[in-house]
Amino acid sequence: MIRSLFDVQWGLSIEKQGETRALFEQVHGNNILSYRTTEDYPGKSAPLIQADGVQSYLSQSEIYVYTADCYPVLFFTEDPEGPIAALHAGWRGLKKRIVKKGLSFFTDFAEVHAVLGPAIGPCCFSVREDFVEDWKAEGLNPHKFLSQRDHRIYFNLLDFLLTNELDSLPKKNIHLDLFRCTVCSSPPLPSFRRNKSANPRLRTWIRKLK
């Protein structure tokens, strides 16, 4: 599945672990790397840096993240001189504001776009009371994103992402055509919550064409 706009191309694929070498070790944090030359890419035997996102100005070089319920978030700008970015944003990374941090790389550019790939939807992300208390301890207000059904609590990560983290972007610049719930959509996508495994997993990528 491939999309393109403003000389930027992005897409996703389902891959087994090891099929494509990771660009960094994803750890559910908010560290974002910056690649300005091809030498910044990790060598075949080099240890990977712990991070959950990467920003790049390079043309014809993919950057990407792996997910199996977490949100893959891609950024690009209509400015041909602007950067692109790929973020791995699970609930821990969202709580640490990785998406807001990713957007900070684009403050000097107009018409920033965000692409959200497949991830766990509000239909399937059930949480416990300690999750709610943990978010409150971070100074966030989780209650407007909570719902209850079948004696379970559900948290709407998608709504949090759209209204708290991407609220500075025009709605027309937020692309949701790739999004669907990884847990319950059919045909099934990689989902750790459903399969108890992140192998295979989704690789969501973006690259500048010029």
Side-chain angles (χ1 to χ4, degrees):
M1 188 177 296
I2 298 175
R3 302 285 189 270
S4 59
L5 193 66
F6 302 111
D7 292 324
V8 176
Q9 194 172 65
W10 65 90
L12 56 86
S13 59
I14 297 175
E15 297 185 1
K16 293 181 180 179
Q17 288 188 19
E19 192 170 331
T20 304
R21 177 164 166 74
L23 299 178
F24 43 85
E25 181 187 353
Q26 297 179 186
V27 291
H28 298 281
N30 66 357
N31 185 33
I32 300 173
L33 304 178
S34 183
Y35 290 174
R36 290 189 172 271
T37 73
T38 54
E39 292 180 359
D40 292 326
Y41 280 74
K44 291 183 178 180
S45 59
L48 298 178
I49 298 173
Q50 291 187 340
D52 284 275
V54 60
Q55 172 249 13
S56 172
Y57 284 85
L58 296 172
S59 297
Q60 300 294 343
S61 295
E62 284 184 3
I63 55 174
Y64 47 86
V65 292
Y66 298 102
T67 57
D69 284 334
C70 296
Y71 280 76
V73 182
L74 309 176
F75 287 122
F76 66 92
T77 173
E78 295 178 21
D79 187 338
E81 302 301 318
I84 55 175
L87 308 179
H88 163 247
W91 66 263
R92 294 178 182 87
L94 285 171
K95 188 177 67 173
K96 295 174 182 177
R97 316 309 293 272
I98 187 172
V99 173
K100 284 287 191 186
K101 188 175 181 181
L103 270 175
S104 70
F105 289 99
F106 293 81
T107 53
D108 294 332
F109 300 94
E111 295 298 332
V112 179
H113 291 250
V115 177
L116 304 187
I120 191 169
C123 47
C124 294
F125 188 44
S126 60
V127 299
R128 299 179 301 194
E129 286 289 349
D130 57 345
F131 173 95
V132 178
E133 295 303 316
D134 195 25
W135 278 61
K136 289 165 64 176
E138 290 289 330
L140 300 169
N141 178 13
H143 293 289
K144 62 181 178 179
F145 305 106
L146 296 174
S147 61
Q148 210 162 10
R149 64 182 185 273
D150 301 326
H151 307 291
R152 303 182 79 175
I153 302 170
Y154 289 82
F155 190 86
N156 193 330
L157 276 176
L158 179 61
D159 195 24
F160 175 81
L161 185 52
L162 294 174
T163 62
N164 269 50
E165 307 304 281
L166 297 175
D167 53 312
S168 63
L169 300 184
K171 288 184 178 180
K172 66 181 179 64
N173 290 6
I174 300 175
H175 305 276
L176 294 167
D177 56 308
L178 293 183
F179 177 79
R180 56 192 176 99
C181 179
T182 47
V183 180
C184 67
S185 292
S186 182
L189 291 168
S191 168
F192 184 84
R193 180 162 289 217
R194 186 186 64 244
N195 299 331
K196 309 305 178 190
S197 170
N199 190 20
R201 54 192 179 173
L202 281 170
R203 186 175 73 91
T204 306
W205 55 268
I206 184 169
R207 64 171 170 255
K208 295 178 65 172
L209 299 177
K210 295 183 179 179

